[in-house]
Amino acid sequence: MLASLTLLVSAATVCLADHTFHVENHCSYTVWAAAYGNNGQTPLGGGWEMRAGARRSFTVVDHWNGRIWGRTHCTGSGQCQTGDCGGIQCNGRTGRPPATLAEFTLDGWGGEDFYDLSLVDGFNIMMTIQPVAGSYDTNHHGQYYCARAGCYTDLNQQCPGEQRQIYGGQVIACKSACEATGRDDYCCRNAHNTPQTCPSFPGADFFKSRCPEAYSYAYDDHKSTFTCRGNPKTAYTVRFC
């Protein structure tokens, strides 16, 4: 009896220590989900297939930081035209741009989570991040507190010509201006590696004007970073399309 009670207490402790993610595919087509985490904490091997309407959940430990993204136009062996990581399971590898990213830093400064939807690596599919009701402290408020972050517009058909990624005669992704041109001022690198020397530019403005809640380039954090505090532990839904 005592041993059983100990197991129950231990299980409850583990549950309270975990953050839960629910990944949903609302697209009309299959998406190969992918995840990357710090210190080898990569959930579900870093990749799994999600048919239209599928939902998959997993947990991560405190102080986890990482990203979730979707891969499209993949073969049975996991070779993908967008977001590719070299296999069905990424196993600690990040994806190849262009890809829409959901980024998280859990239990960060002040005990808060920080999360954002990023188009810094370009766009391939619409995505949304939504904190799960009941998992967070409602005593805090603000535009960026525990709010939905997302890009709700399919940017592929609107993508500027030089940023388009074509496959099978169709636009399947929109590259960042950095990836498309390699220009230092669009990549915010070398002499342009500060907010002062890398202000917004046309390629970033294209993303920002259509998806104002998402990161559009490296120094866009003041308009795109969301925070949330767990009660006791936050949970998030990441939605494709």
Side-chain angles (χ1 to χ4, degrees), residues 34-47:
Y36 171 84
N38 62 317
N39 300 324
Q41 299 175 34
T42 299
L44 303 178

Side-chain angles (χ1 to χ4, degrees), residues 3-239:
S4 300
L5 181 60
T6 302
L7 287 173
L8 287 172
V9 172
S10 298
T13 302
V14 170
C15 181
L16 289 175
D18 289 342
H19 297 265
T20 302
F21 283 87
H22 308 288
V23 182
E24 301 176 350
N25 181 17
H26 290 250
C27 303
S28 60
Y29 49 86
T30 297
V31 173
W32 282 258
Y36 171 84
N38 62 317
N39 300 324
Q41 299 175 34
T42 299
L44 303 178
W48 59 97
E49 181 181 357
M50 299 191 74
R51 298 185 184 275
R55 187 176 193 260
R56 188 78 181 268
S57 300
F58 59 85
T59 59
V60 297
V61 299
D62 285 358
H63 307 288
W64 185 82
N65 66 75
R67 57 178 57 176
I68 298 168
W69 70 99
R71 297 166 289 167
T72 64
H73 300 278
C74 300
T75 66
S77 62
Q79 303 300 310
C80 304
Q81 294 298 316
T82 73
D84 183 67
C85 67
I88 293 175
Q89 291 190 312
C90 299
N91 291 317
R93 299 182 297 270
T94 56
R96 185 180 66 205
T100 314
L101 303 175
E103 300 179 316
F104 298 88
T105 297
L106 304 183
D107 311 300
W109 185 84
E112 290 194 322
D113 297 346
F114 296 82
Y115 61 97
D116 65 81
L117 195 80
S118 175
L119 305 179
V120 175
D121 281 352
F123 171 95
N124 64 339
I125 56 176
M126 295 181 289
M127 286 182 68
T128 304
I129 304 169
Q130 178 71 65
V132 175
S135 73
Y136 55 85
D137 186 352
T138 58
N139 292 319
H140 300 265
H141 303 281
Q143 179 180 355
Y144 297 100
Y145 180 76
C146 296
R148 184 178 65 175
C151 181
Y152 319 109
T153 301
D154 186 349
L155 303 182
N156 290 334
Q157 302 310 313
Q158 306 175 38
C159 186
E162 69 278 7
Q163 293 176 230
R164 293 181 177 183
Q165 179 163 319
I166 309 293
Y167 177 72
Q170 297 181 330
V171 181
I172 62 169
C174 190
K175 300 176 184 178
S176 69
C178 170
E179 184 185 6
T181 67
R183 289 174 46 165
D184 282 357
D185 53 341
Y186 289 174
C187 296
C188 297
R189 66 188 177 201
N190 296 327
H192 301 274
N193 66 346
T194 69
Q196 293 72 32
T197 59
C198 193
S200 189
F201 44 86
D205 291 340
F206 166 78
F207 288 141
K208 197 66 177 178
S209 64
R210 291 158 178 80
C211 296
E213 298 172 9
Y215 259 85
S216 60
Y217 76 109
Y219 295 113
D220 191 24
D221 56 310
H222 62 294
K223 296 180 180 178
S224 307
T225 300
F226 292 73
T227 64
C228 201
R229 184 185 296 273
N231 183 31
K233 297 294 177 183
T234 47
Y236 295 91
T237 297
V238 177
R239 172 175 170 168

